[in-house]
Amino acid sequence: MGSSLITLHGKDFQPYLSAAQLAEAVENLAARINADYAGRQPLFVVILTGGFMFASDLLKHITLTCEVVFIRVSSYEGTESSGMVQEVLGLREEVAGRDLILIEDIVDTGTTMHHLLPRLLAQNPASVEIATLFFKPASLRHELTLNYVAREIPNDFVVGYGLDYDGLGRNLPDVYVAV
């Protein structure tokens, strides 16, 4: 991981977590999911756009027989959660009686999950869990149970590894924090 700053939309970011640190956290999380869901066939629901890189790496380490689907929701404008969730692409698969694992890039305010969980639970899945790369406990505004957290982080704005700042930075293999 480089030691230099990057600039996105005129805002500076410094290195925070390397690709190697992320890979280790993701592999450890996959091992926990594999153990907990042994003998089951979960449906992984990847929340786009931010969750794509985390989901790709996580699922490479999932040894379970499983299905993967994608939905798209958004609650960010710039560096702040807008508090409003727009569901862009919805879930079309039958979820009744199935074990769902939602793959999210980051849980901060919890607004996305607060909006999404009641909609999913209304379809009577056998279970619903959230697997998130990052969790910002200091930002949480809605009560959530998070059993699969790769890493807790402070209430800082981060980019890279799927996370963006107004569309930029998702492609970075490392994670950077705003300075």
Side-chain angles (χ1 to χ4, degrees), residues 52-70:
F52 80 96
M53 200 174 291
F54 170 51
S56 174
D57 288 347
L58 179 72
L59 291 164
K60 289 174 191 171
H61 298 285
I62 296 296
T63 56
L64 308 163
T65 300
C66 63
E67 288 181 67
V68 181
V69 297
F70 300 87

Side-chain angles (χ1 to χ4, degrees), residues 51-177:
F52 80 96
M53 200 174 291
F54 170 51
S56 174
D57 288 347
L58 179 72
L59 291 164
K60 289 174 191 171
H61 298 285
I62 296 296
T63 56
L64 308 163
T65 300
C66 63
E67 288 181 67
V68 181
V69 297
F70 300 87
I71 62 172
R72 185 169 178 188
V73 296
S74 177
S75 64
Y76 260 82
E77 292 174 5
T79 62
E80 299 292 326
S81 176
S82 68
M84 301 295 290
V85 173
Q86 296 177 317
E87 192 166 341
V88 180
L89 276 172
L91 182 65
R92 305 210 190 305
E93 284 68 22
E94 178 65 41
V95 300
R98 306 210 42 203
D99 294 309
L100 306 183
I101 301 174
L102 309 179
I103 300 180
E104 176 73 297
D105 56 352
I106 189 166
V107 173
D108 46 24
T109 63
T111 299
T112 301
M113 289 299 138
H114 181 73
H115 170 80
L116 194 55
L117 286 172
R119 291 176 182 208
L120 292 174
L121 292 170
Q123 298 179 48
N124 299 311
S127 67
V128 179
E129 293 289 349
I130 301 163
T132 186
L133 175 62
F134 294 127
F135 173 45
K136 293 182 181 179
S139 301
L140 196 62
R141 294 183 193 151
H142 304 279
E143 188 174 325
L144 287 176
T145 300
L146 299 173
N147 291 323
Y148 298 108
V149 176
R151 188 156 186 149
E152 284 190 12
I153 63 171
N155 191 18
D156 296 322
F157 188 71
V158 292
V159 298
Y161 197 72
L163 296 124
D164 74 307
Y165 175 33
D166 283 344
L168 298 182
R170 289 192 198 278
N171 60 307
L172 300 168
D174 304 313
V175 171
Y176 294 78
V177 62

